[in-house]
Amino acid sequence: MLPFLSTPKPSLRLRRRVLSALLGTALSLAAAAPWAVHAAEIRVVTSGGFSAAYDQLVPLYEQATGHTVVTARGASIGNAPDSIPSRMARGEQFDVVILADSALDQLVPQGKVQAGSRVDLARSMIGMSVRKGTPKPDIGSVAALRQTLLDAKSVAYSASASGTYLVNELFPRLGVAEQMQTKARKIYSERVGAVVLRGDAEIGFQQVSELLPFKELEFVGPLPDEVQQRVFFSAGVAVGAHEPELARHLIRFLAAPAAAPIVRSTGMEPVAGR
C-alpha cells in the first residue's frame, strides 16, 4: 500500500503545524537574503508532475516573502507548442524551470538551464485512473496489467515523460505495442484525467500526482513495481534569469524538509527528509 493512499488526511492541528513550518522556512530564507529587500516577480515554468504540490506551496511562499510568482505550464518533453522544451527553444524567459530530471539535464548543454543549479524536489510514479461507476480494472500484477490493456477499448496517456516510457518501453515489454497502436492515444496540452472524465478514453495513465486531483475519477493504483518508472522532478535556474538569486531562494523553499508533508500528500515521494 502506498503511503499517500493508506495515510489518513492530516488533522487541522497537523496542517497548521506544517503551514507554520513552511512559513517559518520562507521567512528564515528571506532574512538570510539581503538582496531581496523589495518585492519582486519570479517567473516559473513547471510541468504537471510537480504541479499539485507547487500550487499549494507557492501561495505560502508569496505570503511569507511578498514576492510574486508568475507561473507557466507545459510538458517536460515533446514538441507541443506549450511544452517546456518548445517554450525554451523559442526564447521564452523564466527564472525557474521545473520538470522531469532527464529533460532538465538536456536543457543544460543547450544553454537553457544553468549548469550545477539542479535540485531534485520529489520522485513520482505512474498510475492509472478510470471513471467512477465503471468497472475497476486489475493492475495488481504485470500479468493483470497486460490483460487490462488488451481488454481496454481505449487508452489515454501523456505526451510527456510517463507516456514516452509507456510507448517506448512498457508496451513493447508487455507484448502489446501492436494492439496499442490502434486504441491508445497520446494527449497533448491537457491532463489525461480530463480526457477520461469526458469519456473519451476508458482508462488513463499519467503521473500519480496528476491523476489524484481528479476526484470525479477512480484512481486504480500505480503500475506494478516490476514495471514502474520512478522519475525525479527537479528544479533549475534558467540561463538569462532576471532574478537568479530569487530563483535559488524559491527552489530552496520548494525543496525544504518542511514542504515534505505537502509533497507527500499529492502522491509524490519528497526528496527532503527521506
Side-chain angles (χ1 to χ4, degrees), residues 40-235:
E41 184 176 278
I42 310 169
R43 295 164 302 165
V44 179
V45 62
T46 182
S47 62
F50 192 68
S51 283
Y54 175 91
D55 289 344
Q56 295 184 59
L57 292 169
V58 163
L60 297 171
Y61 178 84
E62 292 177 318
Q63 177 183 343
T65 65
H67 301 311
T68 299
V69 179
V70 178
T71 306
R73 302 176 192 269
S76 290
I77 61 177
N79 55 8
D82 61 348
S83 74
I84 294 176
S86 294
R87 289 177 179 273
M88 303 295 281
R90 62 175 175 259
E92 291 191 37
Q93 293 295 307
F94 302 102
D95 299 300
V96 177
V97 183
I98 303 173
L99 69 169
D101 56 354
S102 59
L104 186 144
D105 289 344
Q106 291 176 16
L107 293 175
V108 174
Q110 296 174 20
K112 304 300 184 183
V113 170
Q114 294 182 16
S117 68
R118 170 180 159 178
V119 175
D120 294 333
L121 302 176
R123 191 166 64 171
S124 182
M125 295 184 294
I126 300 171
M128 189 182 87
S129 287
V130 298
R131 294 179 72 185
K132 284 187 176 179
T134 62
K136 186 175 179 179
D138 181 7
I139 60 169
S141 67
V142 175
L145 171 62
R146 182 179 187 276
Q147 192 59 52
T148 289
L149 287 169
L150 291 173
D151 293 343
K153 295 181 176 63
S154 56
V155 177
Y157 62 90
S158 168
S160 194
S162 61
T164 299
Y165 166 72
L166 292 177
V167 172
N168 293 343
E169 298 185 44
L170 181 62
F171 293 163
R173 179 175 173 179
L174 296 180
V176 298
E178 183 176 351
Q179 293 89 334
M180 291 300 104
Q181 288 180 7
T182 58
K183 60 183 176 181
R185 181 161 65 99
K186 182 186 293 188
I187 306 303
Y188 294 91
S189 303
E190 70 172 328
R191 298 279 181 95
V192 168
V195 176
V196 176
L197 188 59
R198 289 198 303 267
D200 291 343
E202 182 181 349
I203 62 177
F205 293 95
Q206 200 163 20
Q207 302 291 345
V208 170
S209 58
E210 297 186 72
L211 292 173
L212 289 181
F214 286 90
K215 304 305 181 184
E216 307 89 342
L217 298 181
E218 179 79 20
F219 178 67
V220 178
L223 296 180
D225 285 342
E226 302 94 315
V227 294
Q228 180 61 258
Q229 183 199 47
R230 289 173 169 82
V231 173
F232 282 106
F233 280 82
S234 308

